[in-house]
Amino acid sequence: MVFNIGVTEILIISVAGYLILGPKRLPEIGKKAGEAVRKISKETEGINNEIKEIKEAVTK
């Protein structure tokens, strides 16, 4: 897993989120969090690709 979180921790976080945010807001916030993670992942991939291109250009 990405953050080395086990099933128990995910369950605890889910129950806490349900109790704090409620059943109506929880899916909305989960969707926004997923979109943020995808954007960050995409940007990180782009930065890694640029670094590889620079490395290749320097080593030639």
Side-chain angles (χ1 to χ4, degrees):
M1 298 190 107
V2 176
F3 297 109
N4 198 17
I5 298 176
V7 176
T8 307
E9 289 88 358
I10 291 173
L11 183 62
I12 292 170
I13 292 169
S14 298
V15 170
Y18 182 80
L19 293 173
I20 293 169
L21 301 172
K24 292 183 181 179
R25 289 189 52 207
L26 192 60
E28 175 186 327
I29 291 176
K31 181 180 177 182
K32 288 181 182 180
E35 290 172 356
V37 169
R38 279 190 291 276
K39 285 181 184 179
I40 291 169
S41 177
K42 186 176 179 181
E43 291 298 322
T44 303
E45 183 179 333
I47 290 169
N48 286 336
N49 288 337
E50 287 183 32
I51 291 171
K52 286 179 185 178
E53 289 175 7
I54 293 170
K55 274 181 146 179
E56 289 173 2
V58 169
T59 58
K60 287 183 180 182

